[in-house]
Amino acid sequence: MELTPIYKRVIGLDVHQAQISGCAIVEQADGTVSVERHEFGGFKRDRKALAEWAHSISPDVVVMESTGIYWKSPFAALESVGIIAWVVNARHVKAVPGRKTDVADAQWLATLARAGLLRASFIAKADLRSLRHIARHRQKLGGMLASEKNRLHKLLTDAGIRLGVVVSDLHGQSARAMVKALIAGKSVPEVLSLASNRLRASREDIFEALQAEELTPAHRFVLTEIMVHIEELENRIARFDAELLRSLRDAGYGVPLQLLQTLPGIDLMGAAMLLVEIGVDMSVFGSAQRLASWVGMCPGNNESAGKRKSGRIRKGNAWVRRLLCEFAQAAGRSRCALKDKFQALNVRKGHKRSIVALGHKMLRTIYAMLRKKTHYVDKTVDYEALMVARNAPRWLQMLVKHGYVPAHA
């Protein structure tokens, strides 16, 4: 296949767990092209040798496929010698039929890169890549916590306890105290005394919901273990949250954290976990459309013979997509323009598609906020009137304190 070269010195790397195949295509000053191939292992000494070999060639471009997590160590080794490799989407690189070997893959990568046919994927800065370990494991812990809470609810129902019917949150302070008392074997009147007066349900309904004739010793054992695990996960998540926020603030990301929280639906931890995934430099994406495509929140583009086919979203960054769906769920319940947008979409598209569409809109808004370094301004909110309403009592109190307004006024 004849391709017009754009880069003169290119290295392609086919990365596996225990082996790295490298192919360098170098165009000499007289126009001749030389091909050099090397095989490296997967250990630290091998990655160091790879970095030294690549540095000796002084390549214009180094490309590798994003094969699982195996690309990360070679990428870091090349980064340490000043080479920023291109990590390309494996779907964009098709091996030539009949030539499927590691060496052929590396040479095909180098050939495509030499012709300028590959596009580098977004790779975050080293400090944010390191913090992703904290943020992503924190998301995993959140999923585990939700699963354990569901198991607790299911087991209580199996034992005949219908506390979830009369309280809005089975894991609120009052409800959790009652569940612990039931597990400890206390009587229903003793458990009922722990109920908060703020509960909307009547005492009679709560009393009936706490009746647990089917609560066996096996139920108590499993409920005790689940409750211990829930509290352990909550404490662990709190430690992850504290470490992530401390690291981001120490690294100088305090201002972007505050900006993101001005968008309805995003809290402090949501802003922190989003920030470590997409970073703060939006110029690397170029446009909001490319950012949405990278995340996988944009509509699919599948049209043939003038007919538009499936519009399913593409694969992308699942961690960001999950966060955006959570943000959209929260924003859809808030008092802002995003709620109006969600309600309008919900009529036509249904709940799930509306969540994805609203998440897409929020991502484009986030792109603009980070690029311009400005907070979110909602078109349905009168900020001046809101500021006066919130601060008027305090202003009046200060006027009275300093004698400008009589106290009886």
Side-chain angles (χ1 to χ4, degrees):
M1 182 177 182
E2 295 296 331
L3 299 174
T4 303
I6 295 178
Y7 301 104
K8 295 182 180 298
R9 311 175 74 86
V10 177
I11 297 178
L13 300 176
D14 188 53
V15 181
H16 299 275
Q17 182 178 11
Q19 178 183 334
I20 303 173
S21 300
C23 177
I25 300 179
V26 179
E27 182 178 340
Q28 307 297 340
D30 58 359
T32 60
V33 177
S34 63
V35 179
E36 182 180 349
R37 301 181 179 88
H38 273 279
E39 297 286 337
F40 301 92
F43 299 121
K44 181 178 179 179
R45 64 175 183 269
D46 302 309
R47 296 193 298 268
K48 185 177 179 181
L50 166 66
E52 293 174 352
W53 172 70
H55 187 264
S56 66
I57 295 177
S58 300
D60 299 325
V61 177
V62 177
V63 295
M64 64 177 75
E65 291 183 15
S66 57
T67 49
I69 62 172
Y70 301 137
W71 64 269
K72 293 185 178 182
S73 297
F75 183 92
L78 293 170
E79 191 178 31
S80 66
V81 296
I83 298 176
I84 304 301
W86 287 11
V87 182
V88 299
N89 193 328
R91 294 192 302 114
H92 300 165
V93 183
K94 300 294 185 181
V96 179
R99 293 173 57 192
K100 184 66 181 76
T101 63
D102 295 336
V103 174
D105 284 348
Q107 185 168 350
W108 183 239
L109 277 169
T111 302
L112 294 178
R114 185 166 176 256
L117 296 178
L118 299 180
R119 177 184 295 175
S121 300
F122 165 66
I123 304 298
K125 294 169 58 179
D127 57 347
L128 292 180
R129 293 204 308 269
S130 178
L131 292 178
R132 282 180 178 179
H133 299 301
I134 300 176
R136 291 181 177 183
H137 192 69
R138 197 269 182 198
Q139 283 201 44
K140 289 288 187 181
L141 290 175
M144 293 168 60
L145 178 60
S147 297
E148 285 294 83
K149 288 181 175 181
N150 290 337
R151 292 188 188 99
L152 181 72
H153 193 179
K154 182 178 180 179
L155 199 60
L156 288 173
T157 304
D158 183 77
I161 300 171
R162 298 294 188 270
L163 189 58
V165 177
V166 295
V167 298
S168 58
D169 183 10
L170 192 60
H171 298 276
Q173 183 177 0
S174 180
R176 178 165 293 187
M178 288 190 285
V179 171
K180 286 184 175 181
L182 283 171
I183 296 173
K186 293 185 178 181
S187 63
V188 174
E190 290 177 316
V191 176
L192 187 60
S193 65
L194 300 174
S196 172
N197 294 327
R198 298 175 61 184
L199 295 177
R200 294 184 179 181
S202 65
R203 293 282 169 167
E204 292 77 10
D205 290 341
I206 299 176
F207 181 83
E208 292 297 330
L210 292 173
Q211 300 299 323
E213 295 85 356
E214 304 170 19
L215 190 61
T216 64
H219 283 108
R220 295 184 192 277
F221 173 78
V222 179
L223 286 170
T224 301
E225 294 299 319
I226 291 177
M227 185 62 72
V228 170
H229 194 199
I230 286 175
E231 294 182 343
E232 179 188 352
L233 287 172
E234 289 175 342
N235 293 332
R236 189 176 299 177
I237 288 174
R239 294 195 296 271
F240 270 75
D241 291 348
E243 178 63 19
L244 180 60
L245 293 175
R246 183 196 63 78
S247 301
L248 283 173
R249 290 186 174 120
D250 291 348
Y253 293 102
V255 174
L257 278 176
Q258 295 177 353
L259 289 179
L260 290 176
Q261 291 178 75
T262 62
L263 185 62
I266 302 181
D267 60 358
L268 178 58
M269 284 312 304
M273 289 191 288
L274 179 65
L275 198 61
V276 300
E277 294 292 340
I278 67 173
V280 296
D281 184 12
M282 295 294 102
S283 63
V284 298
F285 295 104
S287 66
Q289 291 85 347
R290 289 185 62 185
L291 173 59
S293 178
W294 177 76
V295 174
M297 288 294 286
C298 60
N301 188 13
N302 186 4
E303 183 176 335
S304 179
K307 295 181 180 180
R308 185 167 181 81
K309 300 182 179 180
S310 173
R312 291 176 61 89
I313 58 176
R314 58 184 295 176
K315 291 184 178 180
N317 189 310
W319 305 96
V320 179
R321 187 162 59 242
R322 177 179 176 179
L323 288 172
L324 289 171
C325 289
E326 292 178 0
F327 299 159
Q329 290 274 10
R333 297 184 177 92
S334 61
R335 297 179 181 178
C336 62
L338 296 175
K339 179 180 180 180
D340 299 336
K341 178 69 174 179
F342 173 74
Q343 291 177 340
L345 289 169
N346 198 21
V347 174
R348 297 181 290 111
K349 296 181 177 295
H351 182 80
K352 291 185 177 181
R353 289 186 176 181
S354 300
I355 289 296
V356 174
L358 186 62
H360 179 206
K361 179 178 177 63
M362 293 180 71
L363 183 61
R364 293 167 64 95
T365 304
I366 290 168
Y367 174 89
M369 291 167 56
L370 292 177
R371 184 174 63 85
K372 299 178 181 178
K373 296 180 174 58
T374 57
H375 59 79
Y376 174 72
V377 178
D378 196 291
K379 61 183 180 181
T380 64
V381 177
D382 187 347
Y383 288 94
E384 293 184 0
L386 184 62
M387 182 184 67
V388 171
R390 288 182 175 178
N391 294 296
R394 180 173 59 85
W395 293 341
L396 182 60
Q397 184 179 6
M398 295 302 295
L399 290 174
V400 172
K401 178 180 178 180
H402 295 285
Y404 292 101
V405 176
H408 61 274

